[in-house]
Amino acid sequence: MTIKESFESMDYSPAPESRKNVDAWLEANGHSFGLFIDGEWVKPKGAKTFATYSPATGEKLADITAAGQDEVDAAVAAARKAQGRWALLGGHGRARYLYALARLVQKHSRVLSVLESLDNGKPIRESRDIDIPLVARHFYHHAGWAQLMDEEFPSHEAIGVAGQVIPWNFPLLMLAWKIAPALAAGNTVVMKPAEFTSLTALKFAELCVEAGLPKGVVNIITGEGDTGAMLVNSDVDKVAFTGSTEVGKIIRRAIAGSGKKLTLELGGKSPYIVFEDADIDGAIEGLVDAIWFNQGQVCCAGSRLLVQEGIADRFFEKLKHRMAALRVGHSLDKCIDIGAVVDQEQKDRIESLVRQGESEGATIWQAPCTMPGEGVFYPPTLAMDVGTDNTLFKEEVFGPVLTAITFRTQAEAVALGNNTRYGLAATVWSENLNRALEVAPALKAGVVWINGTNMFDAAVGFGGYRESGFGREGGREGMLAYLKPKFEAGLKDWAPIDAPKAASMPKAGTGMPGLDRTAKMYIGGKQARPDGGDSKAVVDKKGNLVSLVGEGNYKDIRNAVEAATKAAGWAGTTAHLKAQILYYIAENLSYRADEFTERLMTLTGATEKAAMREVELSVERLFSAAAIADKHDGAVHSPPMRGVALAMNEAIGTLGIICPDESPLLGFVTLMAYAVAGGNTAVIVPSERYPLLATDFYQILETSDLPGGVVNIVTGKRDEMAMPLAKHYGVDGIWYFGSREGSKAVEEAAADNMKRAWLNYGKAYDFTSSEQMSARAMMGRATDVKNIWVPYGDANEGGKSY
């Protein structure tokens, strides 16, 4: 194209980025790579290999070694051997290595960005200006956490060996998200990159050598899905996975009951909400970043556009005009907007979903962009006239496909935004900050961007709710995901407290009076008889009958969950009110201390002193929960942008709680109190052996101003009641204290809707311990963190200070 033609057409000429240094690196390695295990490059004899291609051209880049079981085991063993020394190096020692890695990423940024775009297909501008700078940022940020470990996390220690599996959409950035906090906390890692995009992970292994990182601290094993499964099932202490929801569920079920820590960052179908008072041009430019950034291959892509009806026609007209101007081309061309889809298999999936959505009534419009003649490309696509039941509205396409729907009211926008099984991210556009900050907390998403999108920083946690997974990466929450309380190492094995084998039933003429004194359940603020009409005997330590208690079933659990769901407004009450009600509960328990002391002595055989102490501790625990209720504050992060990120603590939702037998009053009170303090509603299964402590306690709840349905009590057998709670889609989190087998069953069932779980894995927590039941830790279990990004202002006279 001549200069004259360029001026007349205003088209961009190709501006290819040089790949000379990447080609030299590939040549130096013979276009063939082994595994990085224990600081050495390993190519096992007879190992399978697979090819990696550039999706923009179809060019074969290299052959990659597929790790088998022996290599996975060797990598984990190397990490295990290195972990103790790495942890003992101390925070400052680890910080120096992380800092060195950050500097090396910057020094090699050109090669890394070109290699990433060549292997993945994403535009070089994105790799160069977004991905690689964020990689360096994560290592810098976590060098700081390592330095501050003893001060910031004094009661925590490294988990051990982390097995990490990452996807192909952000290969090096996902590596940094996982490796940086793991190393900062004192863990060692075995990393498996995606088979489509392994090259930057292998280049990073070279940087580890250049930084002088001790052998075995970082191990990189390449392979396909079976290699990842081997790693998940190996002798690691922590599994961190980013990828599809379906695979995330498989992983959770695979490690259920093992006690392995788990972080899952899974799929999404994020709403992009535009109100009629929004800056339309700004919202459209934001939408380009939301759905066509990285070809839409982004878990948090704003793939569901929701536009208020009053501006819909104008918005869609402008949107199509902007889409028509997008440039699709070779990933190393600095002038393109959209690169190649990662692989033909992924393109085929995108095409299949679009055809299905069209068959279900969607109107498909594709931008008239010039498409390259070779490579794997898909045009920017808009699907309109979709209903909420359309496949394109419901399912994650993971490609450059946007669905659009309109709404009338703010309430409808929130309802449509939350009408998904996912909960990863959301975007809100409005010039009315009051509206934006009212809508953002109402959206069930771990991250909400206001008047912007796809903002990330190492200081700000990222992660989702629902089937988008659990756990956070980045920030303080991300560090805690790679740490465990030191006391966990000393937990003893849990054992149930069995009733005496020979129970003494009343003799004729001497038993209980005709008046029914069966202890009822407590559902929706009312006493309720068991649905099945069954009851069981409760006996004291000597086997004497004390009372009967209802035997719950699935219907009782269902009724209790419905009552808890109706009481969800509890989460929106002020922290001060929650604290006040908890204080009332403590006050009323204190009034009846003698009664509960007597009940504990009768049922458990405890001495008067021990029983009085448990009641006193229960009152104290209620005070602690009340005290922390209005002090469990969020944070205001200051990422490198003009704006802030508001970290807000939110209730998990409805919690299913299965209480222990030990300390039956204190255990029940502790779990109930912190669930309530966090803004949750709860369905509680009290101690199987001593349920009367809980059925006595609801009389206190009835006189303490707690709204009906916030706390529901269903008595019955521990594991029989745990399973319907674990399976119920209306339950958002589950706390279980029982056997290892019970923990395994609960965790497997909880995978269906990705419930957050706190399980004891057959270990006995000490509910009398202020360390094990610390207010901060308990509130951390009872809440999740939502980060709301709020850019602000225009540059003041060229950025001058005021």
Side-chain angles (χ1 to χ4, degrees):
M1 183 181 290
T2 66
I3 295 176
K4 181 175 182 296
E5 289 172 334
S6 295
F7 270 109
E8 288 176 349
S9 68
M10 295 305 290
D11 287 339
Y12 284 84
S13 298
E17 178 68 57
S18 172
R19 52 180 283 181
K20 178 180 66 174
N21 291 338
V22 167
D23 286 335
W25 179 72
L26 291 170
E27 285 288 341
N29 285 279
H31 293 266
S32 178
F33 293 88
L35 313 168
F36 185 68
I37 299 174
D38 203 18
E40 305 289 340
W41 290 100
V42 178
K43 285 189 177 181
K45 187 176 180 180
K48 291 196 310 180
T49 62
F50 57 95
T52 185
Y53 298 90
S54 172
T57 63
E59 167 198 0
K60 180 180 174 180
L61 299 174
D63 287 311
I64 308 293
T65 299
Q69 189 65 62
D70 290 344
E71 292 74 48
V72 172
D73 292 344
V76 173
R80 179 75 62 197
K81 181 179 176 182
Q83 195 271 322
R85 295 193 303 274
W86 179 248
L88 288 173
L89 188 61
H92 176 65
R94 296 194 297 273
R96 291 174 70 94
Y97 281 111
L98 287 162
Y99 175 80
L101 287 170
R103 293 288 291 123
L104 286 169
V105 167
Q106 290 179 317
K107 289 177 182 178
H108 295 276
S109 60
R110 188 182 184 91
V111 167
L112 290 170
S113 58
V114 172
L115 184 60
E116 192 81 319
S117 288
L118 196 63
D119 198 25
N120 170 275
K122 66 174 61 188
I124 183 64
R125 289 187 300 127
E126 295 177 6
S127 297
R128 180 195 65 201
D129 300 340
I130 299 173
D131 291 21
I132 306 307
L134 267 175
V135 170
R137 164 71 174 149
H138 271 267
F139 281 103
Y140 276 126
H141 180 78
H142 287 92
W145 278 125
Q147 181 69 36
L148 298 172
M149 269 288 297
D150 292 341
E151 181 178 340
E152 293 292 325
F153 306 102
S155 60
H156 288 76
E157 61 186 2
I159 293 172
V161 176
Q164 304 174 325
V165 182
I166 58 174
W168 43 258
N169 56 341
F170 293 93
L172 193 59
L173 184 54
M174 291 292 101
L175 177 148
W177 278 22
K178 287 179 169 51
I179 287 183
L183 297 191
N187 304 280
T188 52
V189 303
V190 180
M191 163 71 68
K192 195 211 84 77
E195 60 267 31
F196 292 144
T197 53
S198 300
L199 292 179
T200 46
L202 296 169
K203 179 62 179 176
F204 179 80
E206 292 185 358
L207 300 190
C208 292
V209 174
E210 191 174 345
L213 200 68
K215 290 184 176 183
V217 172
V218 170
N219 305 269
I220 308 291
I221 55 168
T222 48
E224 298 179 322
D226 58 341
T227 301
M230 293 174 199
L231 178 57
V232 166
N233 293 315
S234 68
D235 182 31
V236 295
D237 305 295
K238 156 94 184 192
V239 174
F241 172 77
T242 296
S244 71
T245 295
E246 290 70 25
V247 175
K249 290 180 179 181
I250 292 171
I251 290 174
R252 191 174 190 191
R253 294 187 184 109
I255 69 171
S258 67
K260 292 176 183 176
K261 308 295 183 183
L262 181 63
T263 300
L264 295 174
E265 196 262 280
L266 307 175
K269 194 68 180 174
S270 302
Y272 190 98
I273 303 173
V274 183
F275 287 97
E276 58 190 1
D277 60 358
D279 171 1
I280 293 180
D281 291 332
I284 287 175
E285 286 306 308
L287 190 56
V288 170
D289 287 336
I291 184 58
W292 294 299
F293 170 59
N294 201 33
Q295 298 74 252
Q297 299 170 139
V298 184
C299 51
C300 56
S303 56
R304 288 190 299 143
L305 171 63
L306 280 60
V307 183
Q308 199 156 17
E309 279 188 3
I311 60 168
D313 291 343
R314 185 156 55 107
F315 190 94
F316 292 137
E317 181 183 353
K318 283 177 169 283
L319 174 59
K320 289 180 179 178
H321 180 75
R322 181 66 180 92
M323 288 174 66
L326 292 171
R327 299 180 300 278
V328 180
H330 194 292
S331 56
L332 294 186
D333 185 348
K334 293 188 284 288
C335 291
I336 63 136
D337 300 301
I338 299 176
V341 175
V342 73
D343 185 78
Q344 183 64 43
E345 180 183 335
Q346 179 63 16
K347 181 182 176 181
D348 292 345
R349 181 179 183 275
I350 295 168
E351 290 177 333
S352 173
L353 287 169
V354 170
R355 284 195 301 270
Q356 184 175 344
E358 189 172 21
S359 72
E360 294 170 356
T363 300
I364 304 299
W365 187 88
Q366 293 185 321
C369 303
T370 301
M371 302 296 288
E374 60 179 2
V376 187
F377 294 89
Y378 195 83
T381 300
L382 174 64
M384 304 179 70
D385 303 318
V386 297
T388 56
D389 60 343
N390 190 286
T391 294
L392 294 177
F393 186 87
K394 296 188 299 182
E395 299 301 325
E396 184 180 34
V397 177
F398 222 65
V401 179
L402 174 69
T403 62
I405 195 168
T406 62
F407 66 89
R408 294 181 178 179
T409 66
Q410 180 173 311
E412 186 183 5
V414 172
L416 286 169
N418 288 335
N419 184 15
T420 174
R421 60 193 175 105
Y422 299 107
L424 190 55
T427 301
V428 178
W429 280 83
S430 172
E431 288 298 286
N432 184 333
L433 193 58
N434 287 333
R435 166 181 279 167
L437 288 177
E438 182 177 15
V439 169
L443 294 171
K444 198 66 176 175
V447 178
V448 180
W449 296 296
I450 293 176
N451 293 337
T453 195
N454 279 340
M455 291 177 275
F456 305 99
D457 185 60
V460 185
F462 181 86
Y465 299 102
R466 295 174 172 169
E467 293 190 35
S468 290
F470 50 81
R472 296 291 181 264
E473 295 185 298
R476 186 180 187 88
E477 312 94 84
M479 278 296 291
L480 284 169
Y482 283 93
L483 293 165
K484 64 180 181 181
K486 291 179 180 177
F487 69 75
E488 282 190 2
L491 292 178
K492 298 177 181 178
D493 289 339
W494 176 88
I497 300 176
D498 296 322
K501 292 181 179 179
S504 300
M505 301 302 289
K507 296 179 181 180
T510 62
M512 291 163 45
L515 181 66
D516 181 11
R517 297 189 182 277
T518 302
K520 298 180 181 65
M521 300 177 186
Y522 187 64
I523 297 175
K526 299 177 182 178
Q527 297 182 33
R529 296 181 184 276
D531 171 73
D534 293 326
S535 60
K536 59 172 284 190
V538 179
V539 299
D540 63 19
K541 189 175 181 63
K542 296 179 180 179
N544 298 313
L545 179 68
V546 177
S547 180
L548 298 176
V549 68
E551 191 84 271
N553 63 16
Y554 271 60
K555 179 73 162 30
D556 296 310
I557 292 293
R558 191 183 74 184
N559 293 341
V561 173
E562 288 179 359
T565 302
K566 290 178 182 178
W570 174 251
T573 60
T574 66
H576 171 70
L577 178 58
K578 295 185 185 79
Q580 287 292 296
I581 290 175
L582 285 165
Y583 281 129
Y584 295 157
I585 295 171
E587 185 178 88
N588 287 331
L589 176 58
S590 183
Y591 287 152
R592 299 176 62 175
D594 290 345
E595 176 186 335
F596 278 89
T597 298
E598 183 64 32
R599 180 69 95 178
L600 278 166
M601 292 168 61
T602 299
L603 288 174
T604 68
T607 65
E608 183 178 9
K609 181 179 180 181
M612 287 179 62
R613 180 59 180 153
E614 182 166 344
V615 176
E616 290 169 359
L617 279 174
S618 299
V619 172
E620 184 179 325
R621 198 60 52 77
L622 284 161
F623 264 73
S624 295
I628 197 70
D630 61 358
K631 299 170 187 66
H632 185 54
D633 297 323
V636 179
H637 298 301
S638 301
M641 60 171 275
R642 286 182 64 82
V644 295
L646 308 176
M648 300 176 61
N649 294 308
E650 290 190 329
I652 293 170
T654 296
L655 291 179
I657 301 175
I658 296 87
C659 296
D661 288 332
E662 58 272 24
S663 303
L665 176 64
L666 180 59
F668 170 86
V669 166
T670 299
L671 299 172
M672 179 274 298
Y674 285 109
V676 167
N680 304 285
T681 56
V683 178
I684 306 178
V685 179
S687 161
E688 181 177 338
R689 175 68 181 89
Y690 306 117
L692 296 180
L693 277 311
T695 57
D696 288 348
F697 198 88
Y698 64 59
Q699 298 171 27
I700 290 176
L701 298 179
E702 289 175 328
T703 58
S704 300
D705 294 346
L706 187 71
V710 173
V711 171
N712 305 274
I713 300 170
V714 179
T715 52
K717 292 185 173 66
R718 177 185 298 103
D719 291 339
E720 288 183 11
M721 295 296 94
M723 291 313 296
L725 282 170
K727 293 177 180 179
H728 201 299
Y729 273 46
V731 176
D732 304 292
I734 191 158
W735 296 351
Y736 172 88
F737 296 87
S739 66
R740 177 177 285 273
E741 295 74 22
S743 295
K744 182 179 189 300
V746 165
E747 194 165 14
E748 286 175 339
D752 285 346
N753 73 332
M754 281 298 160
K755 292 178 180 63
R756 276 193 54 175
W758 175 25
L759 311 169
N760 70 327
Y761 296 109
K763 295 294 182 180
Y765 281 81
D766 181 3
F767 281 84
T768 69
S769 167
S770 58
E771 178 188 17
Q772 294 186 26
M773 300 295 144
S774 73
R776 288 291 180 195
M778 291 299 295
M779 289 297 281
R781 295 183 177 109
T783 57
D784 223 331
V785 178
K786 169 183 283 181
N787 279 287
I788 301 175
W789 291 70
V790 188
Y792 55 71
D794 297 317
N796 173 41
E797 297 180 4
K800 297 177 184 177
S801 60
Y802 285 95

